[in-house]
Amino acid sequence: MGTMGAGRRLLLSLSPERRRCAAVMGLMAASALGEMAVPYYMGRASDWVAREDELAAILPMVLLGLSSAVTELVCDVTFVGTLSRTQSRLQRRVFAAVLRQSITELRADGAGDVAMRVTRDAEDVREALGEALSLLLWYLARGLCLFATMAWLSPRMALLTALALPLLLALPRAVGHFRQALAPQMQKAQARASEVAVETFQAMATVRSFANEDGAAAHYRQRLQQSHRLEKKDVALYTASLWTSGFSALALKMGILYYGGQLVAAGTVSTGDLVTFLLYQIQFTDVLRVLLDYFPTLMKAVGSSEKIFEFLDREPQVAPSGTMAPTDLQGHLQLEDVWFSYPGRQEPVLKGVSLELRPGEVLALLGPPGAGKSTLVALVSRLHQPTAGRLLLDGHPLPAYQHSYLCRQVAVVPQEPLLFARSLHANISYGLGGCSWAQVTAAARRVGAHDFITRLPQGYDTEVGELGGQLSGGQRQAVAIARALLRDPRILILDEHTSALDTESQQQVEQEILAAKGSGRAVLMVTGRAALAARAQRVVVLEGGEVRQEGPPHEVLRPGSLLRDWGQQGAPGEGDRGSGGEG
Ligand SMILES: Nc1ncnc2c1ncn2[C@@H]1O[C@H](COP(=O)(O)OP(=O)(O)OP(=O)(O)O)[C@@H](O)[C@H]1O
């Protein structure tokens, strides 16, 4: 997107506020005219004082002073309010755009970069618009008034000034272009530095246990240096822009003096008119300098906005929500010849997977690390779309169902569940407005989480910290399972669900899963542990993105089966309870 495109869209982002913007422009013009009138009245005041007509001398000045103060106040308040609303509108739009993006792309962008778009860039745009645009508009109005007065005094010298303008503007504008091009690079570099900081603070325990504090500091320093190098370039360009605008103004002044001197010598202009013209021209040059000083800042805002618009322009990656929301869903899930490759990766992760999860059935999806199990779960959750093949629920493609309906009927507990920095109650009832305490506590009891929660000083009101960091891995997992069960889904998908649970919770969760048979709920247990798979009714073995074996546990998991190839303890019941590290 070019400068013009981004600049135009930036101004268009103000369009919902057009009435206020028009009011601000009107107030600015009035204020500029008022300012022009002050020297005139000051000149006249001495005449009135000489005639001892104090009222005629003072009244216009008082009225002008008062109206100028009121105009400025109203103008400022209106402008600040307008910008603040525009900024929050931009932030809301970018946030909504982020929520519609593909999970893979967002991960590739990095949370730091994405958060920067939502907060810093929008803030930068507001700041730059607030400062640069208001000053530019104000000085533009003043400059036009001054130029009109200059043209009235001497059209020839005003014409010379006008002819010199494009030349004088070209140089600082070129510098402004460089700064604008630098702005997105600087933001990227800052985002990359903050990414390292956030990642390090989140993984503080790992950093410390590997005694890599110096390494982490060096990594951060390296990223900061990249950002620092670009900032130095920016400062150099800023200085160059100041210098070029100062030089331009000086050159204009010298030119007018020379040409004006010739006009005086030729008798076309009186010396008095030349002096008056020069006085106005000095003011005009000052105005021009301010305009040139702030132009690069405005260009920088355009640069920041380019990144925001680029994000807003990305195609939404969320599959459209359908309309189906039947009250009698059976929960029959079918995958038909499903293929999937991650963007930018040649090798497909899933290669023609076909499997079926019948209502009320507990199916184990067993496979070695990297087999594609979590990817398959992500497809069922509709986090990614299959490259080829179909996913059907009760015979209808998943996209035919309403998005929110599907999320209630198919609940997923991911391998590493993340909680939000809210209370335990809010985490368990996440996404389900109007959930009663009784429902929340019942769900927690079903997975053995109620006891540890009630032992906490604030019970269900306990805040769990960023990403649930104030809970143990097992507690996080239990809360995530309770969150899924609260929806009373027809299909429950558990990705390595018992890996961090304590023995008691494991037993309770397994009981809950096995009880699913009676309730008609289908359960897909994703696991790398054969002994856990042995408790299912059917086992599907996934390896290298392909279904290798399928059948009842006693067949699939018999000694000497395929599982031996990847070092699994194939015999059902062979002690793996509590040996969570295997999967
Ligand atoms: N976001 C991603 N981008 C690119 N490749 C990915 C991504 N996520 C996973 N993969 C790749 O897809 C393959 C399958 O990964 P997946 O997480 O589905 O395996 P898994 O069977 O769940 O493994 P595990 O048991 O270790 O969790 C791996 O080779 C992995 O590198």
Side-chain angles (χ1 to χ4, degrees), residues 227-433:
S227 165
H228 185 59
R229 261 196 299 277
L230 290 169
E231 266 163 27
K232 277 205 297 207
K233 257 192 201 173
D234 186 56
V235 169
L237 283 172
Y238 178 67
T239 317
S241 77
L242 282 184
W243 189 82
T244 47
S245 64
F247 175 76
S248 315
L250 186 68
L252 181 61
K253 224 178 285 175
M254 301 293 288
I256 292 289
L257 253 179
Y258 177 73
Y259 182 60
Q262 285 194 337
L263 288 180
V264 170
T268 322
V269 171
S270 73
T271 320
D273 277 353
L274 177 62
V275 171
T276 317
F277 186 91
L278 278 173
L279 283 176
Y280 272 110
Q281 204 263 328
I282 287 170
Q283 280 196 37
F284 184 70
T285 323
D286 281 346
V287 166
L288 206 67
R289 203 176 50 231
V290 176
L291 284 176
L292 292 176
D293 284 355
Y294 277 93
F295 188 70
T297 315
L298 194 69
M299 285 292 101
K300 204 177 159 192
V302 173
S304 298
S305 72
E306 260 179 55
K307 288 292 268 177
I308 294 181
F309 290 128
E310 180 201 304
F311 221 90
L312 287 176
D313 288 344
R314 281 194 195 171
E315 283 278 309
Q317 295 296 322
V318 176
S321 171
T323 51
M324 283 181 67
T327 47
D328 56 347
L329 190 82
Q330 297 299 305
H332 185 197
L333 182 72
Q334 289 163 288
L335 274 73
E336 287 183 355
D337 194 21
V338 169
W339 289 75
F340 179 76
S341 314
Y342 281 101
R345 297 256 177 125
Q346 297 270 307
E347 175 79 358
V349 174
L350 298 178
K351 302 167 188 162
V353 173
S354 294
L355 62 83
E356 186 180 15
L357 175 67
R358 301 178 196 120
E361 177 185 44
V362 178
L363 175 72
L365 181 66
L366 185 64
K373 305 183 295 293
S374 299
T375 304
L376 191 145
V377 171
L379 289 186
V380 177
S381 316
R382 296 187 77 211
L383 296 181
H384 310 302
Q385 313 303 317
T387 323
R390 296 200 304 166
L391 284 96
L392 305 171
L393 182 61
D394 281 10
H396 301 281
L398 289 190
Y401 290 91
Q402 249 177 34
H403 174 67
S404 55
Y405 172 83
L406 211 53
C407 293
R408 273 184 98 117
Q409 301 298 340
V410 183
V412 180
V413 180
Q415 207 170 45
E416 284 163 22
L418 292 181
L419 302 186
F420 296 91
R422 304 176 194 178
S423 70
L424 279 158
H425 182 277
N427 268 294
I428 296 176
S429 60
Y430 182 74
L432 292 175

Side-chain angles (χ1 to χ4, degrees), residues 57-78:
I58 293 166
L59 199 62
M61 297 295 291
V62 170
L63 285 178
L64 265 178
L66 271 177
S67 60
S68 163
V70 171
T71 314
E72 216 172 302
L73 179 77
V74 177
C75 189
D76 280 356
V77 169
T78 318

Side-chain angles (χ1 to χ4, degrees), residues 19-52:
R19 281 198 191 153
R20 280 193 184 79
C21 289
V24 169
M25 303 271 272
L27 289 168
M28 273 183 181
S31 190
L33 278 174
E35 203 163 286
M36 290 292 95
V38 169
Y40 171 81
Y41 276 106
M42 279 182 79
R44 300 288 299 273
S46 51
D47 298 341
W48 287 319
V49 170
R51 290 205 311 264
E52 295 189 350

Side-chain angles (χ1 to χ4, degrees), residues 499-511:
S499 57
L501 291 179
D502 60 49
T503 317
E504 202 180 316
S505 298
Q506 261 188 45
Q507 278 172 354
Q508 211 152 342
V509 168
E510 279 172 27
Q511 240 174 29

